[in-house]
Each structure stands twice: as structure tokens, then as C-alpha cells.
Amino acid sequence: MQKLAAPSVPMEVRLAYARISTRTQEIQSQVDALEASGVHRLFQEQISTRVRERPEMKAALAAAREYRSLGAKVTLVVHEMKRLGRGALELLKVAEELRDAEIELEFLTGPLAGKHDPSGHGAALFAFFAAMAESERDYIRDKTLEGQETARKNGKAIGGVKVSDDDMLATALRLRDQEHLSLREIASRLVIRTGKKRGQHPAPATVMRMLRERDEQTATATLEPTV
């Protein structure tokens, strides 16, 4: 994390976040553009989009909430939308955090370039993220149904022997979210308790499917309107 001149509060505070996914990519062009836009603090990291826990993004959001608590108007500045997240569900999660904390979002380039206020006219952007997430869920669901229908037509069985249970899911979630282990590492820590595969470790693909289904269920629940 690079710290620039710390602003006094209350005022408008501009926090920047820059990210690259691999060592072969360069981050300096993002940094130069962000600094030229007049940001006060800059958070940057090299981390894959497949990694759910991004320390510098987490630190940027924590700093933004802290400045807001001191009465400052806060804007999170990012070079372009894809630096925030890999998929619509992840983008929606970040957008909801910004909206709940009343933090503005600004993109320097791309089709959504400009400043977006979640409580004002920029709320359309946050609605757009929600629509993207819903569209992504529909796409996944449709592709799953298409695959099942194709399997039925070909006379194949749908799915397989269920090897996961609630305890296994809870353990997998803890290993992923708290210990930040890979799918292969999580699979090596889990043991199937029933059926023909009892005593064996589940495949990493099984763990990925189990966690993805749980994430989709959670995301759907958060978007359902309350009565």
C-alpha cells in the first residue's frame, strides 16, 4: 500500500485502488492515472481474480468507511471496472458495500467512466451491477438446465452419488473464507462420510461445485425483496 499526503477531515477524500492479476502485467500505468486524478491514498496489489480475499481492496474499503465516519465525503477511484472484480456477483458485492457506506465510485476509463453516487443519480450504476448479477445467475441456471436436458436425451444419469453434507460444507466455507486455502487444499482436508466413497477425499471439482452453489444461494437470498 502506498500512502500519499494524508488529508484532513471533514472534506472530500479520494481513495484509489489498483490491481493486476499476474506478474507479467504492469501496474504503473494504473498508478500514474490514479495519482494524476488527485487521489489522497493509493492501495495496490498483484493478486488473481480467483482469490476471494484481496487484502488491499479490503484495506481500501475499511479506510473509506473510517473517513466517512469522520464526516468526510469519500470516493473510491478505480482505473476501470474490471479492476474491481471478475464477475457480476463480485462486482455487486463491492457495490453494495459502497452503497451501504455511502461511498461514491469513480471509473477513470471505460464505458462507465465518471463518478457514481449510490444515493443520487449514480444509483443507476449500482442497479446495473444488480442486473448483471441476476443475468449471470440466469445464464448459469440456463446452461445447467441445458446440460441436464442433453444428458437425459443421451441416456446419461443426472448428477451422481451425493458425497457432501452440511458439516462438510461448513468446514469447506471455513477453510476458504478464514484460512484462504485453495480448492485442492480444501479437498485434502475433507472426508466423505457415507456411501461407496466413504473415507475418501472429495475431488476439488466437487468442492468447487458445492461452494459455488452455496454462494449462488446466498447471493440470491440477499437480492430477494423483504416484505
Side-chain angles (χ1 to χ4, degrees):
M1 179 184 70
Q2 177 182 350
K3 290 188 177 181
L4 305 181
S8 58
V9 291
M11 60 171 292
E12 179 177 1
V13 179
R14 292 171 61 78
L15 304 178
Y17 175 73
R19 180 187 61 80
I20 54 174
S21 300
T22 66
R23 295 182 182 277
T24 58
Q25 295 176 317
E26 62 86 22
I27 201 172
Q28 195 57 46
S29 59
Q30 290 183 57
V31 172
D32 291 343
L34 291 166
E35 290 183 345
S37 73
V39 297
H40 300 103
R41 292 180 64 183
L42 174 62
F43 300 79
Q44 58 178 298
E45 58 191 341
Q46 183 263 305
I47 191 167
S48 170
T49 52
R50 290 188 290 269
V51 177
R52 289 182 174 274
E53 190 73 17
R54 288 182 280 166
E56 290 301 304
M57 168 60 84
K58 186 175 181 179
L61 293 174
R65 286 191 291 267
E66 182 178 358
Y67 282 121
R68 280 292 298 139
S69 70
L70 295 174
K73 178 181 179 181
V74 182
T75 300
L76 179 65
V77 187
V78 186
H79 189 254
E80 55 187 328
M81 185 178 70
K82 68 181 181 180
R83 301 304 170 187
L84 274 183
R86 183 168 180 256
L89 293 176
E90 186 176 4
L91 287 170
L92 178 60
K93 180 180 178 181
V94 175
E96 287 179 334
E97 288 190 60
L98 297 175
R99 182 187 60 198
D100 292 343
E102 298 182 336
I103 298 167
E104 293 188 352
L105 177 61
E106 181 177 343
F107 296 117
L108 297 183
T109 187
L112 297 174
K115 185 179 290 189
H116 306 275
D117 178 1
S119 62
H121 296 296
L125 173 69
F126 295 79
F128 170 69
F129 282 150
M132 283 177 59
E134 182 63 28
S135 177
E136 184 173 288
R137 278 192 297 274
D138 288 343
Y139 174 78
I140 293 172
R141 185 164 51 248
D142 289 345
K143 295 300 290 185
T144 300
L145 292 174
E146 288 175 9
Q148 292 175 348
E149 182 61 26
T150 299
R152 290 191 187 95
K153 289 180 179 178
N154 293 333
K156 296 181 180 179
I158 304 301
V161 178
K162 184 176 178 61
V163 299
S164 62
D165 53 33
D166 291 341
D167 288 340
M168 182 182 289
L169 174 60
T171 301
L173 288 169
R174 176 179 59 79
L175 293 174
R176 183 193 69 181
D177 298 338
Q178 298 181 20
E179 299 187 26
H180 314 304
L181 300 186
S182 68
L183 291 172
R184 189 174 299 276
E185 290 170 328
I186 294 173
S188 69
R189 301 277 193 93
L190 302 177
V191 177
I192 300 171
R193 299 183 179 182
T194 60
K196 295 181 179 180
K197 295 185 178 181
R198 181 177 180 179
Q200 299 180 27
H201 301 298
T206 299
V207 176
M208 179 182 69
R209 183 169 59 251
M210 177 174 60
L211 292 173
R212 183 176 60 194
E213 289 175 354
R214 174 57 180 268
D215 290 341
E216 290 175 0
Q217 291 171 0
T218 302
T220 301
T222 59
L223 288 178
E224 289 179 351
T226 56
V227 180

